[in-house]
Amino acid sequence: TPQCLMTGLTNVVIGACNTATGTYDVTGTVSYTDPPATGQLIVEDCNGNQDIINPPFTGSNNFSLTGLNADGANCDITAYFTDEPGCTINLGGYTAPTCPCDISSVTATPGTCNSSDNTFSVTGTVTFSNPPATGQLIVEDCYGNTDVINAPFASPFNYSINNINSDGTTNC
């Protein structure tokens, strides 16, 4: 009897980041000969996300993996038949897209003046999506005073800049 043979993963498209959701999609076609008559064809990424295709098998099937985390990590795609696990193909590695960080709002509320040293504080919130996995978020006033936040980042983030010189400047 003929043995199943995976002949290729073609037309594979690694989609761009959907900035609204922080995800991406992968689509393509998996081709094969002499598939099993039963079971399922599974197309799976390195994180276990699957497109499950049921028989009848026609020699090729389109697949779609959607809502994958756009984190810039290395991943791969494998296709296999559940009733003939030796009939497998691997796309090989690719790098997932990353979404640009999007700061959607920053609020700032000045505090009252401290008469003993003529300073005040500003507190507020930074709201963002798709933050990077590493680095720092720096909130800075026009005098160079900062509040530095280290990764990992969670939105919204509350910040506070203290000991700002109260010199009457209104355009800061």
Side-chain angles (χ1 to χ4, degrees):
T1 63
Q3 292 289 322
C4 173
L5 175 66
M6 289 282 187
T7 57
L9 283 169
T10 59
N11 304 320
V12 176
V13 175
I14 310 298
C17 171
N18 177 335
T19 56
T21 61
T23 62
Y24 72 101
D25 301 335
V26 176
T27 59
T29 303
V30 59
S31 302
Y32 46 84
T33 60
D34 300 316
T38 60
Q40 296 173 319
L41 170 59
I42 307 292
V43 180
E44 182 173 16
D45 78 351
C46 61
N47 296 306
N49 300 296
Q50 297 180 338
D51 188 358
I52 300 171
I53 301 163
N54 293 306
F57 303 116
T58 60
S60 69
N61 288 93
N62 293 330
F63 68 88
S64 180
L65 299 169
T66 60
L68 308 177
N69 188 16
D71 58 5
N74 292 326
C75 198
D76 63 355
I77 297 172
T78 301
Y80 61 91
F81 286 97
T82 59
D83 282 5
E84 196 169 330
C87 190
T88 300
I89 192 168
N90 188 290
L91 170 67
Y94 70 91
T95 301
T98 56
C99 291
C101 182
D102 180 30
I103 296 177
S104 54
S105 71
V106 178
T107 65
T109 305
T112 59
C113 183
N114 180 345
S115 60
S116 66
D117 63 2
N118 204 30
T119 63
F120 67 100
S121 298
V122 171
T123 59
T125 302
V126 179
T127 304
F128 51 86
S129 60
N130 307 316
T134 61
Q136 297 177 319
L137 170 63
I138 301 172
V139 181
E140 182 175 356
D141 70 9
C142 63
Y143 297 110
N145 300 305
T146 62
D147 190 357
V148 178
I149 301 96
N150 295 309
F153 305 106
S155 181
F157 181 82
N158 296 322
Y159 72 91
S160 179
I161 300 175
N162 301 310
N163 301 317
I164 301 170
N165 186 19
S166 182
D167 64 2
T169 301
T170 57
N171 295 324
C172 184

